[in-house]
Amino acid sequence: MATIEVRGLTKQFGDGPPAVDHIDLASEDGEFLVLLGPSGCGKTTLLRMIGGLETPTEGDVLIGGRVVTHLPPRARKIAMVFQSYALYPHMSVYDNIAFPLKAQRLPKEEQRKKVAWAASILGIEQFLNRKPRQLSGGQRQRVALARALVREPNVFLLDEPLSNLDAQRRASARDELQQFQRSIGTTTIYVTHDQVEAMGMGDRIAVIDRGRIRQIGTPKEIYDDPADTFVATFLGTPPMNLVERDGLIFGFRPEHFTPANGSHSDDVVRFQFVVHREEYLGSERLLYGEIGSAKAVARFPATTDVELRIGQPVEYVVARRHLKFFNPRTGERTRD
Amino acid sequence: MTAIAEQQRVWQREERRAGWRRAGKRGLLYTVATLFALFAAIPFAWMVFTIFKQNTDLYNGKNNPFLYNDPPTLDNIRLLFNQTNYTTFVVNTIFVAALVVVITLIAAVPAAYALTRLTGRWGESLGIAIFLVYLVPPTLLFIPMTRIVAELGLKNSRWSMVVVYPTFTIPFCTWLLMGFFKSIPWDIEEQAMIDGYSRLGAIVRAVIPVSLPGILTVIAFSVAMTMHEFVYALAFVTSSSEKTVSIGVTTELIRGDVFFWQSLMAAAAIVAIPVALIYTLFLDRFIQGFTLGAVKG
């Protein structure tokens, strides 16, 4: 068990802007920390530097309070699961799982015990003699996790481990993975570009864009209290509405955007909303339209009846406590 | 009722048709395969039939080459083994081939790995440049090479071939292995490094086993090159005890304008058939689907 910390970590490839730009980040012990960001934002590079597969241009990586920046991956006592699972195709499942133990030169008998233990946790005992190519995507993922688990690492590093699964399998894998992490209690860093995975699994989420951490917090903090317009629009489907007014950007979630229905409350801000299109999604309805020239979306549970007048401005309101304000120049949050 | 019966009849008819189509496809496949097998096998068959023919049978143009008009004979094989150093040629060939394979692997595997993994964009161009070296013909190079061989004191020795052959096997095999290494995902190697090995350990334990088909191809290619190389061998080696099969039999079984066809055929068949069998046995087994299922689905 250990914490992970990075200090001023920077990675520069060639002449361009740095892939990772002076990131400071510290995990808590046993935490499930998600690095979330669009592709190319530097989250995988950050993970690879923690794992030792990439040498930082600047800054330090600490595992369990010890500086490991210049140690090779094998000395860091970490386990990593790649997006591709990176199973050794020429080895059976058993040999794949036993591989890190062989590297430690553990006695054969002990290897067998540990492999059996890891295989039972992940429910893959019956596949031990198969080759990776004979397994389904979900089974391969479990083999990769068993291989990571078997060496009892200080830290798990997971790089988009669910992205090769189909949508249905992904939901159950999310659940399995989270339960697995809770039961073994090992500090885990999980990289993803999928906000549903991040929100559903993370104890905390670090939102990364262009090599910098934009915000770090619990899923609720990130969603309810975004630090800037990037975070506000990156999370949530559909994302937060952003409307410029009085020299500020007003931000509000589509679910807080409702018809005024003639109310005269002072606690609300009013917008003239022109609906262009309705999307019926079964459990909810989305109304796409514009406020002035800014695009906006309203979202309703399918159970509520909303009168629809396509193409005509209708008065909509947002409660003041649900409004966030951003600086139009920097995109950062201004405290109201 | 009748409608259902009608429908069933239509289905049956369609099924029959699909069956015929399947059979047709199968038939075509087998025809092509048979033709190809004949194409590959006939030279061998001709060779084997010729070995046991008497001169009077072979040189009569009206005789069917695939039938014995005169009784078959072993005289030609006796001639090959008793009047030439054929056994020595075979031993020399194996000796040279084995050493060339070892040298080629020692040089080409690390070179190809480095060019694919470490040098980025330059790797590709350097690989092609190395491959171009292979295209310079031996007929041009044997003159300077003779000088080098003489300087090394290897003239008229089978060691001269051990030294010279890698000059064309290494460039080609490096280029060939680059293709194989490129198809191996980095992930496997990095995973091995995470799992507790150094880069070298990761290469030995994860990269090499997965690229086994490529390494086997390199071995096969180097052996084949050694067996059929002619120009260098002819230029560097004159004494019978140092010759390989390819020059040994052609220099000693073609005397002036007299071709000992049956013995030549025997000399070729004795080395070619085992090699052909080994290739089919091994390559087939290793190449198929070796890297499948390594990553993704």
Side-chain angles (χ1 to χ4, degrees), chain B residues 223-293:
Chain B
V223 169
M225 284 309 258
T226 311
M227 286 179 73
H228 82 224
E229 204 289 326
F230 189 79
V231 174
Y232 287 137
L234 188 68
F236 300 150
V237 176
T238 44
S239 67
S240 196
S241 64
E242 301 289 316
K243 283 177 181 171
T244 55
V245 173
S246 68
I247 54 158
V249 294
T250 41
T251 50
E252 302 196 6
L253 288 171
I254 303 171
R255 299 174 187 166
D257 58 353
V258 184
F259 286 72
F260 291 81
W261 280 120
Q262 300 95 318
S263 303
L264 280 169
M265 290 301 169
I270 288 168
V271 289
I273 290 173
V275 169
L277 286 179
I278 290 172
Y279 281 7
T280 19
L281 273 183
F282 276 83
L283 282 186
D284 221 42
R285 173 127 28 111
F286 281 108
I287 282 180
Q288 43 168 295
F290 215 101
T291 50
L292 287 180

Side-chain angles (χ1 to χ4, degrees), chain A residues 148-286:
Chain A
L149 175 66
V150 77
R151 54 201 304 240
E152 299 172 61
N154 288 328
V155 175
F156 274 120
L157 305 178
L158 309 179
D159 186 3
E160 309 218 11
L162 304 186
S163 61
N164 285 327
L165 302 179
D166 53 57
Q168 275 184 340
R169 174 80 194 116
R170 209 178 291 177
S172 59
R174 223 160 42 216
D175 183 44
E176 281 171 24
L177 197 57
Q178 196 181 24
Q179 278 187 16
F180 164 76
Q181 197 268 344
R182 294 261 186 280
S183 63
I184 57 168
T186 305
T187 311
T188 300
I189 297 194
Y190 184 103
V191 161
T192 183
H193 64 268
D194 183 337
Q195 48 160 315
V196 180
E197 280 175 24
M199 298 288 287
M201 298 168 80
D203 291 325
R204 279 193 305 161
I205 300 173
V207 183
I208 300 178
D209 180 46
R210 276 174 281 169
R212 285 178 163 278
I213 292 185
R214 307 302 285 258
Q215 187 173 6
I216 180 160
T218 62
K220 191 167 161 48
E221 284 166 7
I222 299 265
Y223 188 81
D224 290 345
D225 239 347
D228 59 20
T229 50
F230 175 80
V231 178
T233 50
F234 192 71
L235 278 114
T237 34
M240 186 176 263
N241 296 312
L242 297 176
V243 179
E244 204 164 339
R245 180 183 278 191
D246 309 333
L248 277 179
I249 292 178
F250 286 41
F252 48 92
R253 296 277 172 200
E255 55 269 32
H256 299 139
F257 191 41
T258 52
N261 289 334
S263 95
H264 297 288
S265 167
D266 282 343
D267 267 356
V268 298
V269 175
R270 293 161 196 279
F271 298 94
Q272 294 298 314
F273 183 47
V274 183
V275 179
H276 294 322
R277 191 166 70 81
E278 182 196 16
E279 225 172 64
Y280 178 77
L281 297 175
S283 63
E284 62 186 24
R285 292 159 68 198
L286 300 176

